[in-house]
Amino acid sequence: MQITPFDDTYFMQKAIAEAELAYERGEIPVGVVVVINNRIIARGHNLTETLNDVTAHAEMQAITAAANFLGGKYLKDCTMYVTLEPCQMCAGALYWSQLSRLVFAAEDPQRGYRAMGGKLHPKTKVSHGTMETEASGLLKRFFIEKRNLK
Amino acid sequence: MQITPFDDTYFMQKAIAEAELAYERGEIPVGVVVVINNRIIARGHNLTETLNDVTAHAEMQAITAAANFLGGKYLKDCTMYVTLEPCQMCAGALYWSQLSRLVFAAEDPQRGYRAMGGKLHPKTKVSHGTMETEASGLLKRFFIEKRNLK
């Protein structure tokens, strides 16, 4: 068996580990990592409830952290791995960042940027579906538990 | 002459004062205030260059600050006054905040949320044009000066 340590699945697993941290905090479990040259330069998970802040999506925090690491505001040559399709806010932020590549796991047919009419930057290549089952399984488990607690 | 201290023009002047602070810092001059019951609970101006952060738009900072003031993440009964039409990122954040009312001064036919296909929350009432001349005059002056410095 060939070992491919730095493929999309590897990095999406790291994003799912972040989503699990959100889950443990009672947050909608979405996680993200930003990668440049096979190196993770930013991680984040959804903190909207903890911070009482609708802008505290995983992606927004990771964009700020990655830019901070790079010392510039553009995420050129960076790939973002995120467990759920970004919303229009996050897509808008990614548009401004000129991110090179976006990989998301689960689709969001209600609030995802594609359904809401949002746009990524023309430079941003997009793929999705990597570890979709794991990412959407975590989200489903969260919402079932939440419903049962009411 | 009748004095109407708390009308849209009054609060948009406060937003323009914020835009002027951005201008003085060499930032694209956009300013914002958030108002509830005729009281300003958050102010902000664009800081993307200063902070090296594409997410540091005036509106994003003001949403976070207003939620912090209110102790909750929804901007119910709040009006946001902003000197330029929000981009899709900021519209997306305002969507999540369920802002009651948005007033913007100048339109942004290139990068405004309407051109980019973004959506505000169905609860958000929108009006625009208040002090448009002043707000767009400041933006034009900024870009002319910027061009001449190159």
Side-chain angles (χ1 to χ4, degrees):
Chain A
M1 188 181 130
Q2 205 196 346
I3 294 170
T4 52
F6 295 129
D7 59 6
D8 284 351
T9 303
Y10 174 83
F11 289 117
M12 192 59 85
Q13 276 168 340
K14 302 293 181 192
I16 287 177
E18 283 292 321
E20 282 164 353
L21 294 177
Y23 184 92
E24 286 165 19
R25 283 175 175 265
E27 297 276 1
I28 296 176
V30 181
V32 66
V33 296
V34 178
V35 173
I36 188 166
N37 299 330
N38 286 332
R39 184 176 170 196
I40 294 175
I41 60 167
R43 298 164 193 270
H45 55 268
N46 178 33
L47 286 173
T48 48
E49 298 300 323
T50 307
L51 298 179
N52 247 333
D53 186 349
V54 297
T55 74
H57 281 193
E59 301 95 311
M60 302 299 285
Q61 297 171 62
I63 291 167
T64 300
N68 196 37
F69 177 88
L70 294 170
K73 59 190 175 136
Y74 297 114
L75 304 187
K76 204 175 153 297
D77 303 323
C78 290
T79 301
M80 174 178 280
Y81 294 86
V82 57
T83 58
L84 181 65
E85 179 183 344
C87 74
Q88 59 168 339
M89 169 179 72
C90 295
L94 291 172
Y95 179 96
W96 291 123
S97 80
Q98 301 187 18
L99 180 77
S100 291
R101 186 168 173 244
L102 172 69
V103 184
F104 62 87
E107 298 185 73
D108 187 348
Q110 255 87 49
R111 297 282 176 265
Y113 73 96
R114 296 173 305 172
M116 296 292 279
K119 277 183 196 68
L120 295 172
H121 196 275
K123 283 183 191 165
T124 309
K125 289 177 193 146
V126 187
S127 56
H128 64 87
T130 308
M131 300 199 73
E132 182 169 9
T133 311
E134 292 80 356
S136 63
L138 191 61
L139 284 159
K140 276 176 200 153
R141 204 164 82 220
F142 176 82
F143 286 112
I144 287 168
E145 283 186 13
K146 191 127 182 146
R147 209 161 33 230
N148 291 343
L149 286 173
K150 271 183 187 164
Chain B
M1 188 182 126
Q2 205 194 347
I3 294 170
T4 51
F6 295 128
D7 59 5
D8 283 351
T9 303
Y10 174 83
F11 288 117
M12 193 59 85
Q13 275 169 340
K14 303 293 181 190
I16 287 177
E18 283 292 320
E20 282 164 353
L21 293 177
Y23 184 94
E24 285 165 20
R25 280 174 176 267
E27 298 276 0
I28 296 175
V30 180
V32 66
V33 296
V34 178
V35 173
I36 189 166
N37 297 331
N38 286 331
R39 183 177 169 194
I40 294 175
I41 61 168
R43 300 163 192 271
H45 55 267
N46 177 34
L47 285 173
T48 48
E49 296 302 322
T50 307
L51 298 179
N52 248 333
D53 187 348
V54 296
T55 75
H57 282 193
E59 301 95 312
M60 302 298 285
Q61 300 171 60
I63 290 167
T64 299
N68 196 37
F69 176 87
L70 295 170
K73 61 189 174 135
Y74 298 114
L75 304 188
K76 205 176 152 294
D77 303 325
C78 290
T79 301
M80 174 178 280
Y81 295 86
V82 56
T83 59
L84 181 65
E85 180 182 343
C87 74
Q88 58 168 342
M89 169 180 72
C90 294
L94 291 172
Y95 179 96
W96 292 121
S97 80
Q98 302 188 16
L99 180 77
S100 291
R101 186 167 174 246
L102 172 68
V103 184
F104 62 86
E107 297 184 74
D108 186 347
Q110 256 87 48
R111 296 282 176 265
Y113 73 97
R114 297 174 304 172
M116 296 292 278
K119 278 182 196 70
L120 295 171
H121 196 276
K123 283 184 190 164
T124 309
K125 289 176 191 147
V126 186
S127 57
H128 64 88
T130 308
M131 301 199 74
E132 182 169 10
T133 311
E134 292 80 356
S136 63
L138 191 60
L139 283 159
K140 275 176 202 155
R141 205 164 82 222
F142 176 82
F143 286 111
I144 289 168
E145 282 185 15
K146 190 123 185 149
R147 208 161 32 231
N148 289 346
L149 284 173
K150 272 182 188 166

